[in-house]
Amino acid sequence: MTDEPVASCFSVSGVASAYEEIYLPRIFIPWARVLLERAALRPGEAVLDIATGPGTVARFAAEQVGRRGRVLGADFSEAMIAIARAKPQFAGAAAIDYVVSPAAPLTADDGAFDVVTCQQGLQFFPDRPAAVREMHRALKPGGRVAAAVWREIGFQPYFAAMDSALRESLPDHQAEPYGLPFRWPKASDLAAAFTGQGFTDVSLAEVRRPLTFEGGMRQAFAAVAASPVATTVAGLDAAARARLWSAAQRRLAPLVIDGQVRTHMVSNIVTARKSG
Ligand SMILES: C[S@@+](CC[C@H](N)C(=O)[O-])C[C@H]1O[C@@H](n2cnc3c(N)ncnc32)[C@H](O)[C@@H]1O
Protein backbone atom coordinates (compact mmCIF):
# COMPACT_ATOMS: atom_id res chain seq x y z
CA MET A 1 0.00 0.00 0.00
CA THR A 2 1.27 3.50 -0.73
CA ASP A 3 1.17 6.46 1.63
CA GLU A 4 -1.06 8.52 -0.66
CA PRO A 5 -4.57 7.40 0.37
CA VAL A 6 -4.04 8.60 3.95
CA ALA A 7 -1.94 11.69 3.28
CA SER A 8 -4.95 14.02 2.99
CA CYS A 9 -6.09 13.23 6.55
CA PHE A 10 -3.15 15.09 8.01
CA SER A 11 -3.85 18.75 7.56
CA VAL A 12 -3.99 21.10 10.53
CA SER A 13 -7.61 21.95 9.66
CA GLY A 14 -8.37 18.24 9.70
CA VAL A 15 -7.92 17.92 13.48
CA ALA A 16 -11.44 19.05 14.41
CA SER A 17 -13.02 16.96 11.68
CA ALA A 18 -10.97 13.86 12.59
CA TYR A 19 -12.06 14.26 16.23
CA GLU A 20 -15.66 14.74 15.12
CA GLU A 21 -15.80 12.01 12.49
CA ILE A 22 -13.50 9.33 13.89
CA TYR A 23 -13.12 9.75 17.67
CA LEU A 24 -16.62 10.98 18.62
CA PRO A 25 -18.81 8.16 17.28
CA ARG A 26 -16.39 5.37 18.21
CA ILE A 27 -15.01 6.64 21.50
CA PHE A 28 -16.45 9.73 23.15
CA ILE A 29 -20.17 9.28 22.42
CA PRO A 30 -20.45 5.66 23.62
CA TRP A 31 -18.26 6.45 26.64
CA ALA A 32 -20.42 9.51 27.45
CA ARG A 33 -23.39 7.16 27.78
CA VAL A 34 -21.41 4.98 30.18
CA LEU A 35 -20.43 8.01 32.29
CA LEU A 36 -24.00 9.31 32.40
CA GLU A 37 -25.32 5.93 33.52
CA ARG A 38 -23.04 6.29 36.53
CA ALA A 39 -24.18 9.89 37.10
CA ALA A 40 -27.84 8.71 37.15
CA LEU A 41 -29.29 12.09 36.20
CA ARG A 42 -32.84 12.97 37.17
CA PRO A 43 -35.28 15.26 35.32
CA GLY A 44 -34.87 18.89 36.31
CA GLU A 45 -31.30 18.62 37.58
CA ALA A 46 -28.57 21.20 36.93
CA VAL A 47 -25.44 19.68 35.38
CA LEU A 48 -21.96 21.14 34.91
CA ASP A 49 -19.76 19.38 32.33
CA ILE A 50 -16.10 20.32 32.74
CA ALA A 51 -13.70 19.96 29.77
CA THR A 52 -16.85 19.63 27.69
CA GLY A 53 -14.95 19.70 24.38
CA PRO A 54 -17.56 19.63 21.61
CA GLY A 55 -20.29 19.22 24.26
CA THR A 56 -20.35 15.42 24.04
CA VAL A 57 -21.53 14.72 27.59
CA ALA A 58 -23.32 18.07 27.97
CA ARG A 59 -25.70 17.35 25.08
CA PHE A 60 -26.76 13.91 26.34
CA ALA A 61 -27.04 15.29 29.87
CA ALA A 62 -29.37 18.01 28.56
CA GLU A 63 -31.52 15.34 26.95
CA GLN A 64 -31.68 13.37 30.20
CA VAL A 65 -32.54 16.25 32.55
CA GLY A 66 -35.12 17.59 30.08
CA ARG A 67 -36.57 21.07 29.69
CA ARG A 68 -36.83 21.71 33.43
CA GLY A 69 -33.12 21.03 33.84
CA ARG A 70 -30.12 23.12 32.95
CA VAL A 71 -26.62 22.38 31.66
CA LEU A 72 -23.40 24.38 31.63
CA GLY A 73 -20.47 23.14 29.53
CA ALA A 74 -17.01 24.60 30.29
CA ASP A 75 -13.77 24.19 28.36
CA PHE A 76 -10.66 26.34 28.11
CA SER A 77 -10.54 25.94 24.33
CA GLU A 78 -12.44 28.62 22.42
CA ALA A 79 -12.36 26.41 19.33
CA MET A 80 -14.01 23.51 21.17
CA ILE A 81 -16.68 25.75 22.68
CA ALA A 82 -17.42 27.20 19.23
CA ILE A 83 -17.96 23.66 17.90
CA ALA A 84 -20.16 22.79 20.88
CA ARG A 85 -22.29 25.93 20.47
CA ALA A 86 -22.86 25.17 16.79
CA LYS A 87 -24.45 21.79 17.53
CA PRO A 88 -28.23 21.41 17.56
CA GLN A 89 -29.87 20.40 20.81
CA PHE A 90 -31.90 17.22 21.16
CA ALA A 91 -35.71 17.45 21.20
CA GLY A 92 -37.05 18.11 24.70
CA ALA A 93 -33.58 18.81 26.05
CA ALA A 94 -32.54 21.41 28.63
CA ALA A 95 -30.93 24.60 27.39
CA ILE A 96 -27.12 24.39 27.39
CA ASP A 97 -24.90 27.37 28.16
CA TYR A 98 -21.26 27.11 27.21
CA VAL A 99 -18.43 29.05 28.79
CA VAL A 100 -14.76 29.35 27.87
CA SER A 101 -13.08 28.58 31.19
CA PRO A 102 -10.20 26.56 32.58
CA ALA A 103 -11.04 23.82 35.06
CA ALA A 104 -9.44 26.01 37.74
CA PRO A 105 -10.31 28.75 38.36
CA LEU A 106 -13.68 27.71 36.98
CA THR A 107 -16.31 30.18 35.80
CA ALA A 108 -19.25 28.65 37.65
CA ASP A 109 -21.30 29.80 40.66
CA ASP A 110 -20.82 28.29 44.11
CA GLY A 111 -23.23 25.51 45.07
CA ALA A 112 -25.23 25.78 41.85
CA PHE A 113 -25.18 22.24 40.39
CA ASP A 114 -26.67 18.88 41.28
CA VAL A 115 -24.12 16.99 39.19
CA VAL A 116 -20.65 17.63 37.79
CA THR A 117 -19.37 15.47 34.94
CA CYS A 118 -15.91 15.37 33.42
CA GLN A 119 -15.08 12.93 30.63
CA GLN A 120 -11.37 12.49 29.89
CA GLY A 121 -10.39 15.95 31.07
CA LEU A 122 -8.73 15.53 34.48
CA GLN A 123 -5.51 14.05 33.13
CA PHE A 124 -4.88 17.24 31.14
CA PHE A 125 -5.39 19.73 33.96
CA PRO A 126 -2.17 21.32 35.19
CA ASP A 127 -3.46 21.59 38.78
CA ARG A 128 -5.63 18.55 39.42
CA PRO A 129 -6.30 19.18 43.13
CA ALA A 130 -7.48 22.70 42.29
CA ALA A 131 -9.76 21.35 39.56
CA VAL A 132 -11.35 18.79 41.92
CA ARG A 133 -11.74 21.55 44.53
CA GLU A 134 -13.59 23.64 41.93
CA MET A 135 -15.94 20.72 41.20
CA HIS A 136 -16.68 20.52 44.94
CA ARG A 137 -17.28 24.28 45.16
CA ALA A 138 -19.72 24.30 42.22
CA LEU A 139 -21.85 21.45 43.62
CA LYS A 140 -24.88 21.89 45.87
CA PRO A 141 -24.64 20.09 49.21
CA GLY A 142 -25.39 16.43 48.45
CA GLY A 143 -24.43 16.91 44.78
CA ARG A 144 -22.66 14.17 42.77
CA VAL A 145 -19.63 14.04 40.52
CA ALA A 146 -18.82 11.46 37.83
CA ALA A 147 -15.43 11.65 36.12
CA ALA A 148 -13.73 9.32 33.64
CA VAL A 149 -9.98 8.94 33.12
CA TRP A 150 -8.43 6.37 30.77
CA ARG A 151 -6.29 3.62 32.22
CA GLU A 152 -2.62 3.55 31.16
CA ILE A 153 -1.76 3.13 27.48
CA GLY A 154 -0.74 -0.51 28.03
CA PHE A 155 -4.44 -1.26 28.62
CA GLN A 156 -5.48 0.35 25.29
CA PRO A 157 -4.24 -1.99 22.52
CA TYR A 158 -4.96 0.35 19.58
CA PHE A 159 -3.31 3.37 21.22
CA ALA A 160 -0.39 1.26 22.43
CA ALA A 161 0.17 0.00 18.85
CA MET A 162 0.08 3.52 17.41
CA ASP A 163 2.33 4.77 20.21
CA SER A 164 4.91 2.11 19.32
CA ALA A 165 4.65 3.00 15.61
CA LEU A 166 5.19 6.69 16.39
CA ARG A 167 8.11 5.96 18.71
CA GLU A 168 9.90 3.88 16.14
CA SER A 169 9.31 6.42 13.34
CA LEU A 170 9.77 9.81 15.01
CA PRO A 171 12.25 11.38 17.43
CA ASP A 172 11.20 10.84 21.08
CA HIS A 173 10.18 14.43 21.70
CA GLN A 174 7.80 14.32 18.73
CA ALA A 175 6.21 10.95 19.58
CA GLU A 176 6.01 11.55 23.34
CA PRO A 177 2.79 13.68 23.50
CA TYR A 178 0.72 10.90 21.89
CA GLY A 179 0.42 9.06 25.21
CA LEU A 180 -0.67 12.14 27.20
CA PRO A 181 -4.34 11.11 27.58
CA PHE A 182 -3.22 7.87 29.25
CA ARG A 183 -0.86 9.19 31.91
CA TRP A 184 -3.09 9.49 34.96
CA PRO A 185 -1.30 7.44 37.61
CA LYS A 186 -3.16 4.67 39.41
CA ALA A 187 -6.86 4.20 40.09
CA SER A 188 -6.15 4.65 43.80
CA ASP A 189 -4.71 8.10 43.02
CA LEU A 190 -7.91 8.98 41.23
CA ALA A 191 -10.00 8.05 44.26
CA ALA A 192 -7.56 9.91 46.53
CA ALA A 193 -7.90 13.04 44.39
CA PHE A 194 -11.58 13.18 45.36
CA THR A 195 -11.37 12.09 49.01
CA GLY A 196 -8.53 14.59 49.40
CA GLN A 197 -10.84 17.47 48.44
CA GLY A 198 -13.62 16.57 50.86
CA PHE A 199 -15.83 14.30 48.72
CA THR A 200 -17.56 11.34 50.37
CA ASP A 201 -18.96 8.04 49.01
CA VAL A 202 -16.03 7.88 46.57
CA SER A 203 -16.42 4.84 44.35
CA LEU A 204 -14.27 3.60 41.49
CA ALA A 205 -15.16 1.35 38.57
CA GLU A 206 -12.93 0.03 35.84
CA VAL A 207 -14.95 -0.20 32.63
CA ARG A 208 -13.95 -1.89 29.39
CA ARG A 209 -15.82 -1.46 26.13
CA PRO A 210 -15.15 -2.32 22.50
CA LEU A 211 -13.43 -0.02 20.02
CA THR A 212 -13.84 -0.83 16.32
CA PHE A 213 -12.45 0.93 13.29
CA GLU A 214 -14.72 -0.67 10.72
CA GLY A 215 -12.76 1.16 8.02
CA GLY A 216 -9.73 -0.94 8.99
CA MET A 217 -6.12 0.18 9.24
CA ARG A 218 -6.53 3.27 7.11
CA GLN A 219 -9.24 4.64 9.36
CA ALA A 220 -7.29 3.67 12.49
CA PHE A 221 -4.24 5.44 11.09
CA ALA A 222 -6.26 8.50 10.07
CA ALA A 223 -7.39 8.83 13.72
CA VAL A 224 -3.88 10.06 14.58
CA ALA A 225 -5.06 13.33 13.03
CA ALA A 226 -7.24 13.86 16.13
CA SER A 227 -4.48 13.04 18.63
CA PRO A 228 -1.98 15.25 20.51
CA VAL A 229 0.58 14.61 17.72
CA ALA A 230 -1.76 15.73 14.92
CA THR A 231 0.20 18.88 14.12
CA THR A 232 3.53 17.04 14.14
CA VAL A 233 2.23 14.37 11.79
CA ALA A 234 0.65 17.01 9.56
CA GLY A 235 4.11 18.54 9.16
CA LEU A 236 5.94 15.33 8.19
CA ASP A 237 7.34 15.02 4.69
CA ALA A 238 6.13 12.19 2.45
CA ALA A 239 9.04 9.88 3.30
CA ALA A 240 8.57 10.23 7.07
CA ARG A 241 4.85 9.72 6.75
CA ALA A 242 5.40 6.60 4.64
CA ARG A 243 7.71 5.23 7.37
CA LEU A 244 5.05 5.91 9.98
CA TRP A 245 2.31 4.30 7.88
CA SER A 246 4.44 1.21 7.36
CA ALA A 247 5.20 0.94 11.12
CA ALA A 248 1.51 1.45 11.93
CA GLN A 249 0.46 -1.31 9.55
CA ARG A 250 2.88 -3.70 11.25
CA ARG A 251 1.88 -2.74 14.80
CA LEU A 252 -1.87 -2.74 14.09
CA ALA A 253 -1.85 -6.08 12.23
CA PRO A 254 -2.60 -8.20 15.34
CA LEU A 255 -5.79 -6.18 15.91
CA VAL A 256 -7.22 -6.72 12.40
CA ILE A 257 -10.16 -9.12 12.08
CA ASP A 258 -12.07 -9.37 8.78
CA GLY A 259 -10.50 -6.14 7.56
CA GLN A 260 -11.57 -4.18 10.66
CA VAL A 261 -9.43 -3.01 13.56
CA ARG A 262 -11.26 -4.55 16.53
CA THR A 263 -10.08 -3.90 20.04
CA HIS A 264 -11.22 -2.30 23.30
CA MET A 265 -10.55 0.61 25.64
CA VAL A 266 -10.44 0.70 29.43
CA SER A 267 -11.35 3.68 31.61
CA ASN A 268 -11.57 4.32 35.31
CA ILE A 269 -14.75 6.08 36.34
CA VAL A 270 -14.98 7.73 39.72
CA THR A 271 -18.21 8.83 41.34
CA ALA A 272 -18.43 10.78 44.58
CA ARG A 273 -20.73 13.02 46.62
CA LYS A 274 -20.44 16.37 48.36
CA SER A 275 -21.64 16.06 51.93
CA GLY A 276 -25.22 17.24 52.37
C1 LIG B 1 -10.17 14.42 25.29
S1 LIG B 1 -11.04 15.91 25.24
C2 LIG B 1 -12.58 15.41 25.96
C3 LIG B 1 -13.69 16.35 25.58
C4 LIG B 1 -15.08 15.95 26.04
N1 LIG B 1 -15.19 15.77 27.48
C5 LIG B 1 -15.60 14.75 25.30
O1 LIG B 1 -15.91 13.76 25.96
O2 LIG B 1 -15.68 14.79 24.05
C6 LIG B 1 -10.26 16.86 26.52
C7 LIG B 1 -10.80 18.27 26.65
O3 LIG B 1 -10.19 18.87 27.79
C8 LIG B 1 -10.05 20.25 27.52
N2 LIG B 1 -9.06 20.77 28.46
C9 LIG B 1 -7.75 20.43 28.57
N3 LIG B 1 -7.15 21.12 29.56
C10 LIG B 1 -8.10 21.90 30.13
C11 LIG B 1 -8.12 22.82 31.21
N4 LIG B 1 -7.00 23.08 31.92
N5 LIG B 1 -9.27 23.44 31.52
C12 LIG B 1 -10.39 23.18 30.81
N6 LIG B 1 -10.46 22.32 29.77
C13 LIG B 1 -9.33 21.68 29.43
C14 LIG B 1 -9.62 20.28 26.08
O4 LIG B 1 -9.82 21.54 25.48
C15 LIG B 1 -10.52 19.19 25.48
O5 LIG B 1 -11.72 19.73 24.99
Side-chain angles (χ1 to χ4, degrees), residues 67-170:
R67 283 194 211 287
R68 288 188 299 110
R70 133 182 123 78
V71 176
L72 176 65
D75 197 290
F76 79 163
S77 160
E78 284 188 26
M80 281 294 189
I81 290 295
I83 292 170
R85 282 192 177 124
K87 294 198 172 188
Q89 70 173 64
F90 297 118
I96 309 179
D97 286 322
Y98 287 106
V99 62
V100 176
S101 167
L106 178 70
T107 308
D109 291 339
D110 293 357
F113 296 90
D114 300 289
V115 177
V116 167
T117 54
C118 184
Q119 169 158 270
Q120 309 304 340
L122 263 170
Q123 59 269 57
F124 301 107
F125 301 159
D127 187 345
R128 294 166 184 169
V132 176
R133 212 158 38 241
E134 286 291 75
M135 294 178 183
H136 193 270
R137 177 184 65 74
L139 279 171
K140 298 176 183 173
R144 292 112 61 207
V145 61
V149 180
W150 301 127
R151 282 219 60 180
E152 302 91 311
I153 200 161
F155 290 80
Q156 327 284 355
Y158 157 71
F159 289 92
M162 287 305 304
D163 188 58
S164 300
L166 286 157
R167 285 180 185 280
E168 76 174 67
S169 314
L170 303 180

Side-chain angles (χ1 to χ4, degrees), residues 31 120 123 128 148-161 163 167 178-190 204-208 263-269:
W31 278 100
Q120 309 304 340
Q123 59 269 57
R128 294 166 184 169
V149 180
W150 301 127
R151 282 219 60 180
E152 302 91 311
I153 200 161
F155 290 80
Q156 327 284 355
Y158 157 71
F159 289 92
D163 188 58
R167 285 180 185 280
Y178 185 74
L180 269 177
F182 308 102
R183 288 197 195 130
W184 182 276
K186 298 191 296 291
S188 54
D189 295 329
L190 184 56
L204 261 178
E206 183 180 295
V207 182
R208 173 180 156 137
T263 178
H264 61 266
M265 292 189 77
V266 183
S267 185
N268 281 316
I269 299 183

